Amino acid sequence: YIGIVAHDLRNPICAIELMASFLLENNRSQLDADQREFAARIEKLSHFMELLINDILDFSKIEAGRIELQKARTDYNSLVLDNLRINTLIAAQKGISIRSDLEPGLSTIDLDQKKIEQVLHNLLSNAVKYSGRESEITVTTRKDGSGVMTVVRDQGQGIPEAELHQLFQPFQRTSVRATSGEASTGLGLAIVKRIVEAHGGSIGVRSRVGEGSEFYFYLPG
């Protein structure tokens, strides 16, 4: 039922975002300062609602046991590098650099490329979201038995130990706030956990307040 409702909401929300964008891009000169601010807020809030609806749709499918994996043998390091290129541009807007430390010669992995891209993007975008300007994020891959361990390490604020258990639960948020006011749906990490586990893998986190966080996940070969 939640999935059906979310699906029906997506079209009008996308239309609102599109119309607000059109006003800002094509009619900007005809708007006064207050009207431009209102249109910008409408665009920003509708975009957040679209993200939330998409996450709800993903989560509802997963919870209903309808997660469908389209697995294929994949060059894992190449997949990681492709994702880093996209997120490096996003990180640069906050003066954050992303460094890779990928073990050469990793074997190919049997995985759903789009789903694992979603995992990598979520962990990297979160690292950017909760890190301060001019800091560094490191992405590491290492062979682990017959599979691969991936670690995303940031120099951000860190998460209180008592709150770590909340991270992979739906609609749970910690006391840590994004450094530039970025929004969070509270579903991203819950979806990531279920995707990794659907691949037969595992995911975890290590963090210390004031020193940053380290999210890691294992994928079997």
Side-chain angles (χ1 to χ4, degrees):
Y1 176 76
I2 291 174
I4 293 170
V5 171
H7 186 273
D8 288 344
L9 286 172
R10 183 162 57 180
N11 285 344
I13 292 299
C14 289
I16 292 169
E17 180 184 1
L18 183 62
M19 286 185 281
S21 298
F22 180 84
L23 285 173
L24 289 170
E25 292 174 9
N26 298 287
N27 297 78
R28 192 174 189 88
S29 62
Q30 300 176 37
L31 304 177
D32 61 32
D34 286 341
Q35 290 169 336
R36 287 195 295 271
E37 181 182 352
F38 292 155
R41 289 191 179 188
I42 291 169
E43 182 185 39
K44 181 178 180 181
L45 291 172
S46 56
H47 179 66
F48 171 72
M49 292 176 71
E50 181 189 357
L51 294 177
L52 176 58
I53 288 169
N54 288 336
D55 279 352
I56 289 173
L57 283 169
D58 282 346
F59 191 73
S60 66
K61 290 178 182 178
I62 291 170
E63 290 297 277
R66 288 164 49 210
I67 182 168
E68 299 174 358
L69 300 180
Q70 305 294 325
K71 287 187 175 183
R73 300 303 295 181
T74 304
D75 182 330
Y76 188 67
N77 277 347
S78 293
L79 179 68
V80 172
L81 286 172
D82 284 344
N83 197 272
L84 290 185
R85 291 187 188 98
I86 297 170
N87 281 279
T88 295
L89 298 175
I90 299 171
Q93 296 174 11
K94 293 177 72 173
I96 296 171
S97 60
I98 299 180
R99 184 175 67 87
S100 61
D101 180 15
L102 311 184
E103 181 172 329
L106 286 180
S107 58
T108 58
I109 301 293
D110 195 28
L111 54 78
D112 184 313
Q113 181 172 328
K114 289 184 179 179
K115 292 288 194 299
I116 297 304
E117 284 178 344
Q118 187 175 353
V119 171
L120 290 166
H121 177 70
N122 185 279
L123 296 181
L124 279 166
S125 62
N126 276 354
V128 171
K129 190 182 298 181
Y130 295 101
S131 291
R133 299 187 66 83
E134 310 304 327
S135 61
E136 183 178 84
I137 296 167
T138 304
V139 180
T140 304
T141 61
R142 290 288 181 269
K143 183 174 177 57
D144 189 328
S146 61
V148 175
M149 181 69 73
T150 305
V151 181
V152 178
R153 183 182 300 109
D154 65 52
Q155 299 172 334
Q157 307 162 75
I159 305 162
E161 184 176 356
E163 299 178 12
L164 290 178
H165 70 282
Q166 303 175 22
L167 287 173
F168 299 104
Q169 300 301 316
F171 298 111
Q172 294 295 313
R173 293 186 176 89
T174 68
S175 59
V176 183
R177 294 293 173 260
T179 53
S180 295
E182 298 98 329
S184 172
T185 66
L187 276 173
L189 287 176
I191 293 171
V192 160
K193 182 175 187 291
R194 284 154 177 80
I195 290 174
V196 171
E197 290 177 345
H199 280 78
S202 58
I203 189 167
V205 58
R206 291 181 285 266
S207 188
R208 183 169 293 182
V209 174
E211 296 183 14
S213 301
E214 187 177 272
F215 285 84
Y216 54 91
F217 65 95
Y218 168 78
L219 295 173

